[in-house]
Amino acid sequence: MASTGDLEPTHYPARRAATVALHYLNTHHGSPFRVFGLQQVHKASAEDVAAGGRKYKLDFSVTDWASGSEGPALRCSADVLFPQTERHSGPEVQLRCEALQQINRTAQEEHAFYQRYISPDSAVSARDIPDSYGNVSEEMQPFWRLARVAASFIMLRESSERTEFNMAQVASVAQQGSSEEQLMLEFVVLLHDFPSQEIIQWKLLASWSPDRGVRVLQTEWQPRCPHATKPPN
Amino acid sequence: MKGLLVLTALFVAVFGKKTFEGDQVLRITPKDEAQISLLRELSEQEHLGLDFWREPVHESLPVDVHVPFHSLQGVRAFLGYNQIQYNVMIMDVQDLLDDEEREMVKYRSFPRSTDDFVYTNYHDLNSIYSFMDMLVAENSNLVSKIVIGQSYENRPLNVLKFSTGANRPGIWIDTGIHSREWVTQASGIWFSKKIVTDYGRDPVLTDILNNYDIFLEIVTNPDGFAYTHSRDRMWRKTRKPNSGSSCVGVDPNRNWDAGFGGAGSSSSPCTETYRGPSAHSEPEVKAIVDFVKSHGKIKAFVSIHSYSQMLLYPYGYTSTPAKDQAELHELARKAITSLQSLYNTRYTYGSIITTIYQASGGTIDWTYNQGIKYSYTFELRDTGRYGFILPANQIVPTAEETWLALMAIMEHTKNNPY
């Protein structure tokens, strides 16, 4: 059901493409103290491209979930290309957001967070963030955001016109020994895909420091067995 | 003595995070003075950390001793070697404490009336079913409970009926058809209390209830809901096993006889949108189908889900617009404008297939095709930050704003009889 030309901004074709742009934004600008959510798509259009594949042009707003209940909206525009290839290859994104560089207020918090956890004794480990009731402790908030940023690498890579990914929960976080002055974190994240309603589990190893930002070093899809029957008692 | 120990243990457990895992309490029966002496000597071995609930006194009296896990082997060897009789009174002290804690918490949070009930928390199935009974008992002139069927695991499918007279047309609202969408069941609870509170006070609701019955099924998928509490918070479907597969459950919102089997549902039991072996194969769905058909006069049908903040109308299985699309679209616009007026929560609205995705075998496509014109699906808060695990402090604001949209739909239904 590919739409071409101007798209209804509130409907799913535009929203899926904007979600891809959002994942891209978070991989490039996300941190323990900054992670963006989609606020609204203002304008969208799509066209087939010569090489086969579809290119979306988007005008949308995002908010930084780290800045209180609803921070100021940031206006962005993006081109999202879903290539047409035999085997899946991730979308290509070009993104421009206004005033992104001016957001520097988090530098202090990032350094404090870094100093606190870079010590060799540090061995953070936790499960279920948020818990079943939506609770996230103060201490876990930056890890939650980091997980979302790291998960965005996977969500971006796995996206197509038939997916719409969100991170549903962090199943676990386990700090690994620091390497090259990077915080090393092993996450298991649960991704939620809207169209299929599936919960998809990924284990990943990410590094972070205020200077180098988030990098994802390893990813591993993990089968979930929620559909299996309980073993007989 | 035991009570004091438990209290101390709990105090320590709360503030010191000590655990008594693997500890046991032994009941020793010394047969003579010699054994009493041996037991007294044992009690003096401080490194064992023994705590005598009953001291060794006399050969006819049992000796109860709490033995920490690390000392168990030694103590049992000592007793065995000296041929001192004993049996295990408490297999694992921590288990006992855990059970007791659970009982205490349950007892503490058991409300005595629906005014006591904590609407700002998530509750389990038993609590919700108790709430329903309390609501009925407190408002027996207005509310009754109908059991429309049984779930696969034989749980009652309870529907609250709000009625002020006989033979009225009806308005149906369901929450929790997908069990992981916890804000919906929680909102359903709040709606039911809102109705009994506002009847006789709010002129619009009073007028609605003087002309229509309201049917509210709060836990539409109780098996799934129990499973989200006990095993998997992310469980969506029913819990019926599928023959020939190790995968359990059917998506109850793909199981209706509207475009059943088409694109937008899955034929694999191991997927979240598995449609089931046939339309209405799930007892949870069949019960509603039978109810609606036998009632014959349902005029509005609202099925509530989460998340993504949308108000949707048919169709999901086909891109052919619904006959009443224009009216449904305009009413949706009014409803979400009301919703937004409270906390500025922004909703998207439109037909299912254009707005969210193609979905076949969906609830409101079936109800609409049955002639229930005002058929709507909500997707409540939020838009992905917390998703299914919405913090409890958002339950009431979500319910409050959603109620405004529901009132808009119900009022329009009443003002436009058909």
Side-chain angles (χ1 to χ4, degrees):
Chain A
M1 288 189 60
S3 336
T4 300
D6 285 338
L7 304 175
E8 174 57 54
T10 58
H11 289 180
Y12 72 80
R15 201 176 52 245
R16 286 181 195 174
T19 301
V20 169
L22 175 76
H23 296 321
Y24 180 90
L25 173 64
N26 279 325
T27 59
H28 279 71
H29 294 280
S31 85
F33 293 91
R34 189 196 304 176
V35 72
F36 294 100
L38 191 61
Q39 194 207 49
Q40 205 184 344
V41 181
H42 304 289
K43 282 212 314 265
S45 66
E47 60 184 8
D48 293 326
V49 295
R54 287 171 57 72
K55 178 143 66 149
Y56 288 72
K57 282 176 141 43
L58 304 156
D59 172 12
F60 60 100
S61 295
V62 299
T63 52
D64 180 2
W65 281 340
S67 64
S69 52
E70 179 120 354
L74 214 66
R75 194 72 171 238
C76 297
S77 65
D79 289 353
V80 176
L81 170 67
F82 293 104
Q84 183 109 294
T85 50
E86 282 274 310
R87 262 181 46 214
H88 172 82
S89 74
E92 292 161 30
V93 182
Q94 287 179 335
L95 177 74
R96 294 157 296 280
C97 291
E98 65 177 20
L100 204 48
Q101 262 49 314
Q102 289 163 28
I103 305 177
N104 233 345
R105 51 167 186 82
T106 63
Q108 207 175 2
E109 289 159 294
E110 288 183 20
H111 272 96
F113 176 74
Y114 178 79
Q115 288 308 323
R116 181 169 172 196
Y117 292 104
I118 198 66
S119 98
D121 301 332
S122 179
V124 173
S125 128
R127 305 190 57 81
D128 294 341
I129 306 158
D131 67 15
S132 288
Y133 305 86
N135 300 312
V136 182
S137 68
E138 259 321 297
E139 196 196 353
M140 283 298 126
Q141 297 264 356
F143 292 100
W144 184 36
R145 292 179 209 122
L146 261 178
R148 186 176 279 277
V149 174
S152 298
F153 285 82
I154 300 173
M155 294 193 282
L156 176 63
R157 187 184 72 200
E158 299 295 312
S159 287
S160 74
E161 285 174 283
R162 288 171 308 286
T163 62
E164 195 175 335
F165 288 113
N166 182 40
M167 186 182 80
Q169 190 181 35
V170 181
S172 67
V173 54
Q175 183 172 10
Q176 313 294 299
S178 304
S179 162
E180 294 175 22
E181 297 175 346
Q182 305 297 303
L183 282 188
M184 302 291 284
L185 296 163
E186 184 191 83
F187 290 109
V188 175
V189 296
L190 300 182
L191 305 181
H192 172 229
D193 171 47
F194 253 95
S196 66
Q197 290 293 338
E198 294 293 329
I199 301 289
I200 307 151
Q201 184 167 312
W202 284 86
K203 182 161 95 166
L204 61 101
L205 181 64
S207 71
W208 176 79
S209 69
D211 303 323
R212 267 219 251 154
V214 178
R215 303 220 176 149
V216 172
L217 308 165
Q218 283 166 35
T219 67
E220 180 193 322
W221 173 81
Q222 297 192 313
R224 279 187 101 221
C225 296
H227 302 280
T229 47
K230 284 196 289 230
N233 284 0
Chain B
M1 179 57 198
K2 180 174 166 190
L4 186 62
L5 176 81
V6 168
L7 203 64
T8 309
L10 273 173
F11 181 90
V12 171
V14 166
F15 294 102
K17 297 247 172 1
K18 189 170 175 194
T19 171
F20 299 94
E21 260 161 36
D23 292 8
Q24 293 189 341
V25 176
L26 308 180
R27 170 155 285 182
I28 304 168
T29 21
K31 64 174 191 233
D32 55 28
E33 198 48 50
Q35 292 200 338
I36 301 271
S37 293
L38 284 169
L39 290 172
R40 286 214 188 95
E41 272 172 38
L42 186 71
S43 73
E44 274 147 26
Q45 306 300 310
E46 283 197 28
H47 67 279
L48 292 174
L50 303 180
D51 179 18
F52 281 81
W53 292 8
R54 285 180 199 252
E55 304 278 348
V57 168
H58 192 275
E59 71 209 34
S60 63
L61 295 171
V63 176
D64 294 347
V65 56
H66 171 195
V67 183
F69 178 70
H70 64 81
S71 305
L72 255 179
Q73 205 172 18
V75 168
R76 292 171 86 131
F78 173 86
L79 295 173
Y81 177 78
N82 290 293
Q83 295 184 316
I84 303 175
Q85 267 222 305
Y86 72 95
N87 64 283
V88 179
M89 209 166 80
I90 297 174
M91 283 299 285
D92 187 309
V93 175
Q94 188 58 41
D95 280 355
L96 191 67
L97 291 176
D98 288 345
D99 287 347
E100 191 146 356
E101 167 88 51
R102 266 191 291 272
E103 278 307 303
M104 283 171 61
V105 167
K106 239 168 52 178
Y107 183 78
R108 253 205 315 268
S109 60
F110 190 79
R112 283 156 300 171
S113 78
T114 62
D115 288 324
D116 249 357
F117 190 84
V118 183
Y119 296 90
T120 50
N121 256 350
Y122 290 109
H123 295 274
D124 65 14
L125 191 62
N126 283 339
S127 304
I128 298 177
Y129 279 4
S130 297
F131 167 85
M132 289 180 196
D133 289 337
M134 276 195 299
L135 191 75
V136 169
E138 293 164 15
N139 301 277
S140 47
N141 290 335
L142 182 59
V143 198
S144 58
K145 184 175 83 176
I146 310 173
V147 184
I148 62 170
Q150 309 272 107
S151 69
Y152 172 73
E153 290 174 348
N154 286 319
R155 294 184 172 87
L157 298 171
N158 293 326
V159 173
L160 293 176
K161 175 182 180 182
F162 301 84
S163 179
T164 65
N167 295 320
R168 302 271 171 84
I171 292 168
W172 169 281
I173 303 170
D174 65 71
T175 52
I177 195 171
H178 286 142
S179 35
R180 62 190 179 197
E181 300 164 6
W182 278 16
V183 71
T184 71
Q185 299 95 336
S187 295
I189 295 167
W190 188 92
F191 297 152
S192 66
K193 180 64 171 171
K194 178 68 169 165
I195 294 170
V196 304
T197 305
D198 276 10
Y199 180 71
R201 288 193 184 84
D202 175 73
V204 180
L205 178 73
T206 303
D207 193 19
I208 290 169
L209 266 176
N210 285 341
N211 291 282
Y212 288 74
D213 293 340
I214 297 175
F215 296 95
L216 177 55
E217 186 175 10
I218 297 175
V219 189
T220 306
N221 177 6
D223 295 351
F225 188 61
Y227 200 71
T228 59
H229 279 271
S230 65
R231 290 295 199 101
D232 182 356
R233 178 62 179 80
M234 296 292 169
W235 190 261
R236 163 185 170 91
K237 302 187 287 181
T238 64
R239 287 296 302 166
K240 183 148 130 293
N242 295 299
S243 75
S245 171
S246 64
C247 295
V248 173
V250 166
D251 185 342
N253 199 25
R254 300 290 186 278
N255 187 242
W256 299 72
D257 195 7
F260 180 84
S265 66
S266 164
S267 58
S268 161
C270 297
T271 57
E272 297 282 20
T273 57
Y274 175 52
R275 62 181 73 115
S278 58
H280 306 169
S281 61
E282 301 312 281
E284 296 84 355
V285 169
K286 183 74 162 49
I288 303 174
V289 169
D290 291 345
F291 176 83
V292 166
K293 281 180 154 166
S294 74
H295 186 282
K297 277 192 300 187
I298 302 289
K299 297 297 175 186
F301 191 106
V302 181
S303 191
I304 301 184
H305 294 251
S306 77
Y307 58 98
S308 67
Q309 291 174 202
M310 296 180 179
L311 177 51
L312 306 164
Y313 51 81
Y315 288 107
Y317 73 91
T318 173
S319 50
T320 305
K323 180 170 51 74
D324 304 287
Q325 158 130 326
E327 184 186 357
L328 292 175
H329 191 80
E330 174 55 24
L331 177 55
R333 189 195 60 77
K334 269 195 5 223
I336 62 131
T337 303
S338 283
L339 187 154
Q340 187 169 346
S341 71
L342 197 56
Y343 297 112
N344 204 30
T345 305
R346 275 209 203 89
Y347 264 58
T348 299
Y349 62 104
S351 69
I352 296 169
I353 196 170
T354 56
T355 311
I356 189 168
Y357 41 55
Q358 185 175 24
S360 63
T363 308
I364 66 164
D365 286 359
W366 181 82
T367 59
Y368 185 75
N369 284 346
Q370 290 295 301
I372 302 175
K373 178 160 51 153
Y374 302 113
S375 289
Y376 283 98
T377 281
F378 277 83
E379 293 278 357
L380 302 186
R381 291 195 196 181
D382 59 13
T383 54
R385 183 172 182 180
Y386 289 93
F388 298 120
I389 32 189
L390 196 70
N393 63 14
Q394 289 198 46
I395 294 171
V396 171
T398 301
E400 287 174 331
E401 66 192 11
T402 307
W403 184 248
L404 297 181
L406 286 172
M407 283 293 286
I409 292 169
M410 294 195 291
E411 194 180 356
H412 183 95
T413 303
K414 175 189 67 81
N415 291 337
N416 295 275
Y418 61 94

